[in-house]
Amino acid sequence: MQPGTPDEQWREDCAPRRVLELFATKWTSMILHTLHARHGGTARTGVLHRSLPGISKKMLVQTLRELEASGLIDRQVHDSVPPTVDYSLTELGQRLVEPIELIYGWARDNAPALDALQPRQTSRRR
């Protein structure tokens, strides 16, 4: 948003604020990044769970449901015994992964500076 733009671009439901809502949980970007970078855009629930140390099964399922409802991933149930489920990035999800990858690259490039920051009270970083 540029200074001097119309007030409607600063509204509570403007596009930039809506995209930031997607990142309300720390796992959103990590799941999208993992689907893209480690699994070529598609993975099963168990594979994703093993690829994301620290995420609980409950949080994974909850975040996957939110991502599906947002139109960022598709869920495909296979008719097998036991049933299997694949999650894949939608076209919108693939477009959102682009800026996520830029942020992850920036973080890797600036890891020493990030390591020097004081951890927040709620951080699990030691």
XYZ file of all heavy atoms in Angstrom, residues 73-112:
322
model
N -4.697 -25.685 -1.119
C -4.372 -27.087 -1.381
C -5.650 -27.836 -1.732
O -6.751 -27.422 -1.388
C -3.671 -27.776 -0.181
C -4.581 -27.814 1.044
C -2.330 -27.130 0.121
C -4.026 -28.673 2.183
N -5.463 -28.935 -2.436
C -6.551 -29.863 -2.734
C -6.342 -31.122 -1.909
O -5.199 -31.520 -1.649
C -6.560 -30.261 -4.212
C -7.202 -29.220 -5.099
O -8.146 -28.539 -4.646
O -6.755 -29.088 -6.254
N -7.435 -31.757 -1.543
C -7.408 -33.016 -0.789
C -8.048 -34.073 -1.661
O -9.180 -33.916 -2.103
C -8.197 -32.838 0.508
C -8.279 -34.060 1.364
C -9.087 -33.714 2.642
N -9.051 -34.781 3.594
C -9.987 -35.720 3.696
N -11.033 -35.708 2.904
N -9.878 -36.667 4.603
N -7.312 -35.143 -1.921
C -7.841 -36.234 -2.727
C -7.800 -37.531 -1.917
O -6.736 -37.973 -1.488
C -7.047 -36.413 -4.015
C -7.607 -37.501 -4.886
C -6.851 -37.636 -6.193
O -5.806 -37.046 -6.393
N -7.402 -38.425 -7.091
N -8.980 -38.110 -1.695
C -9.097 -39.365 -0.958
C -9.091 -40.500 -1.971
O -9.849 -40.488 -2.936
C -10.389 -39.404 -0.118
C -10.503 -40.716 0.636
C -10.448 -38.223 0.832
N -8.225 -41.482 -1.756
C -8.140 -42.642 -2.636
C -8.963 -43.783 -2.050
O -8.940 -44.027 -0.846
C -6.680 -43.085 -2.798
C -5.831 -42.027 -3.432
N -5.814 -41.790 -4.777
C -4.984 -41.122 -2.874
C -4.983 -40.802 -5.039
N -4.466 -40.383 -3.894
N -9.664 -44.452 -2.901
C -10.507 -45.580 -2.493
C -9.631 -46.821 -2.346
O -9.498 -47.619 -3.261
C -11.614 -45.809 -3.525
C -12.657 -46.788 -3.042
O -12.774 -46.972 -1.818
O -13.358 -47.369 -3.897
N -9.003 -46.921 -1.188
C -8.131 -48.057 -0.908
C -8.351 -48.476 0.532
O -9.027 -47.811 1.299
C -6.666 -47.668 -1.132
O -6.301 -46.604 -0.278
N -7.762 -49.621 0.888
C -7.871 -50.103 2.257
C -6.457 -50.202 2.808
O -5.657 -50.972 2.294
C -8.571 -51.483 2.313
C -8.630 -51.994 3.732
C -9.964 -51.387 1.706
N -6.109 -49.453 3.833
C -6.880 -48.360 4.427
C -6.938 -47.172 3.466
O -6.105 -47.063 2.558
C -6.093 -48.008 5.691
C -4.686 -48.379 5.375
C -4.770 -49.578 4.455
N -7.904 -46.267 3.668
C -7.999 -45.102 2.788
C -6.732 -44.252 2.879
O -6.152 -44.108 3.956
C -9.196 -44.320 3.324
C -9.905 -45.238 4.247
C -8.943 -46.270 4.684
N -6.304 -43.719 1.760
C -5.155 -42.815 1.742
C -5.616 -41.462 1.216
O -6.555 -41.378 0.432
C -4.016 -43.365 0.870
O -4.509 -43.613 -0.441
C -3.444 -44.651 1.453
N -4.927 -40.425 1.667
C -5.277 -39.061 1.283
C -4.021 -38.358 0.794
O -2.978 -38.401 1.452
C -5.886 -38.283 2.478
C -6.222 -36.854 2.081
C -7.116 -38.991 3.015
N -4.125 -37.732 -0.370
C -3.054 -36.898 -0.906
C -3.456 -35.442 -0.782
O -4.616 -35.089 -1.017
C -2.806 -37.187 -2.392
C -2.066 -38.476 -2.643
O -1.304 -38.897 -1.762
O -2.247 -39.050 -3.728
N -2.498 -34.615 -0.440
C -2.683 -33.171 -0.433
C -1.767 -32.590 -1.495
O -0.602 -32.968 -1.575
C -2.350 -32.575 0.937
C -3.361 -32.964 1.984
C -3.156 -34.063 2.805
C -4.544 -32.242 2.122
C -4.093 -34.429 3.751
C -5.488 -32.600 3.078
C -5.258 -33.693 3.877
O -6.197 -34.057 4.811
N -2.301 -31.697 -2.302
C -1.484 -31.083 -3.345
C -1.770 -29.587 -3.431
O -2.874 -29.130 -3.120
C -1.732 -31.758 -4.696
O -3.098 -31.677 -5.040
N -0.766 -28.860 -3.849
C -0.906 -27.424 -4.010
C -1.840 -27.124 -5.176
O -1.744 -27.743 -6.234
C 0.461 -26.786 -4.304
C 1.489 -26.835 -3.193
C 2.859 -26.416 -3.711
C 1.068 -25.939 -2.037
N -2.735 -26.181 -4.979
C -3.558 -25.691 -6.078
C -2.729 -24.666 -6.852
O -1.611 -24.306 -6.453
C -4.832 -25.011 -5.558
O -4.443 -23.879 -4.766
C -5.690 -25.972 -4.735
N -3.286 -24.154 -7.921
C -2.595 -23.107 -8.674
C -2.355 -21.885 -7.777
O -1.269 -21.299 -7.782
C -3.414 -22.704 -9.898
C -2.708 -21.730 -10.809
C -3.506 -21.407 -12.054
O -4.225 -22.280 -12.563
O -3.408 -20.244 -12.502
N -3.363 -21.528 -6.984
C -3.217 -20.411 -6.054
C -2.139 -20.711 -5.018
O -1.318 -19.849 -4.689
C -4.552 -20.110 -5.363
C -4.577 -18.926 -4.403
C -4.266 -17.623 -5.136
C -5.933 -18.840 -3.710
N -2.119 -21.933 -4.506
C -1.100 -22.333 -3.546
C 0.297 -22.271 -4.132
O 1.249 -21.837 -3.473
N 0.435 -22.673 -5.395
C 1.742 -22.605 -6.064
C 2.203 -21.167 -6.210
O 3.392 -20.869 -6.061
C 1.665 -23.284 -7.431
C 1.498 -24.779 -7.340
C 1.204 -25.420 -8.682
O 1.108 -24.759 -9.711
N 1.031 -26.732 -8.679
N 1.256 -20.268 -6.470
C 1.632 -18.850 -6.587
C 2.016 -18.274 -5.221
O 2.899 -17.425 -5.140
C 0.500 -18.049 -7.227
C 0.337 -18.368 -8.708
C -0.488 -17.331 -9.455
N -1.720 -16.940 -8.814
C -2.922 -17.442 -9.086
N -3.047 -18.415 -9.967
N -3.997 -17.006 -8.461
N 1.374 -18.734 -4.151
C 1.728 -18.251 -2.814
C 3.074 -18.800 -2.359
O 3.783 -18.147 -1.583
C 0.639 -18.614 -1.796
C 0.856 -18.125 -0.368
C 1.028 -16.594 -0.317
C -0.279 -18.562 0.530
N 3.462 -19.957 -2.851
C 4.745 -20.544 -2.470
C 5.907 -19.663 -2.941
O 6.944 -19.594 -2.275
C 4.877 -21.986 -3.017
C 6.304 -22.460 -2.990
C 4.001 -22.930 -2.209
N 5.731 -18.941 -4.041
C 6.824 -18.110 -4.561
C 7.328 -17.102 -3.527
O 8.527 -17.087 -3.227
C 6.389 -17.410 -5.853
C 6.153 -18.374 -6.992
C 5.556 -17.706 -8.221
O 5.691 -16.465 -8.369
O 4.949 -18.421 -9.039
N 6.468 -16.256 -2.939
C 6.996 -15.343 -1.914
C 7.435 -16.060 -0.639
O 8.357 -15.600 0.047
C 5.838 -14.372 -1.637
C 4.621 -15.032 -2.173
C 5.074 -15.957 -3.262
N 6.819 -17.193 -0.334
C 7.258 -17.967 0.838
C 8.695 -18.424 0.647
O 9.523 -18.325 1.558
C 6.314 -19.165 1.097
C 4.958 -18.682 1.591
C 6.943 -20.149 2.094
C 3.907 -19.759 1.668
N 9.019 -18.899 -0.551
C 10.382 -19.348 -0.831
C 11.367 -18.188 -0.750
O 12.503 -18.370 -0.301
C 10.456 -20.044 -2.191
C 9.715 -21.369 -2.232
C 10.167 -22.355 -1.179
O 11.387 -22.565 -1.003
O 9.295 -22.929 -0.487
N 10.949 -16.989 -1.151
C 11.814 -15.812 -1.009
C 12.110 -15.536 0.463
O 13.247 -15.244 0.841
C 11.163 -14.584 -1.655
C 11.074 -14.591 -3.175
C 10.251 -13.399 -3.662
C 12.459 -14.581 -3.796
N 11.088 -15.638 1.307
C 11.271 -15.416 2.742
C 12.177 -16.492 3.339
O 13.082 -16.189 4.126
C 9.913 -15.370 3.469
C 9.149 -14.110 3.052
C 10.093 -15.431 4.990
C 7.700 -14.095 3.486
N 11.972 -17.743 2.952
C 12.821 -18.818 3.472
C 14.269 -18.630 3.026
O 15.198 -18.851 3.792
C 12.280 -20.180 3.043
C 11.190 -20.702 3.949
C 10.019 -19.971 4.160
C 11.317 -21.913 4.597
C 9.020 -20.444 4.991
C 10.317 -22.388 5.434
C 9.178 -21.644 5.627
O 8.198 -22.108 6.460
N 14.478 -18.192 1.778
C 15.827 -17.911 1.286
C 16.476 -16.771 2.055
O 17.650 -16.841 2.438
N 15.694 -15.710 2.306
C 16.189 -14.580 3.084
C 16.594 -15.053 4.484
O 17.634 -14.646 5.013
C 15.110 -13.493 3.168
C 15.535 -12.302 3.961
C 16.168 -11.188 3.493
C 15.377 -12.117 5.376
N 16.398 -10.318 4.535
C 15.930 -10.858 5.694
C 14.821 -12.885 6.390
C 15.933 -10.361 6.992
C 14.831 -12.389 7.679
C 15.381 -11.143 7.974
N 15.768 -15.907 5.087
C 16.067 -16.413 6.433
C 17.368 -17.219 6.441
O 18.199 -17.055 7.345
C 14.906 -17.264 6.949
N 17.555 -18.072 5.435
C 18.801 -18.851 5.365
C 20.012 -17.927 5.190
O 21.046 -18.113 5.824
C 18.730 -19.870 4.233
C 17.869 -21.084 4.557
C 17.971 -22.157 3.472
N 17.332 -21.758 2.234
C 16.041 -21.927 1.944
N 15.241 -22.500 2.815
N 15.557 -21.539 0.791
N 19.860 -16.900 4.322
C 20.961 -15.960 4.077
C 21.294 -15.122 5.305
O 22.416 -14.641 5.447
C 20.617 -15.015 2.915
C 20.536 -15.731 1.572
O 21.012 -16.890 1.465
O 19.973 -15.128 0.628
N 20.318 -14.921 6.169
C 20.500 -14.062 7.341
C 20.452 -14.847 8.647
O 20.202 -14.266 9.714
C 19.430 -12.961 7.340
C 19.651 -11.998 6.202
O 20.505 -11.130 6.287
N 18.916 -12.164 5.121
N 20.719 -16.131 8.581
C 20.642 -16.988 9.768
C 21.492 -16.478 10.928
O 21.020 -16.453 12.068
C 20.996 -18.428 9.413
N 22.746 -16.051 10.705
C 23.531 -15.567 11.851
C 22.886 -14.369 12.559
O 22.873 -14.307 13.786
C 24.884 -15.179 11.234
C 24.980 -16.036 9.999
C 23.566 -16.129 9.482
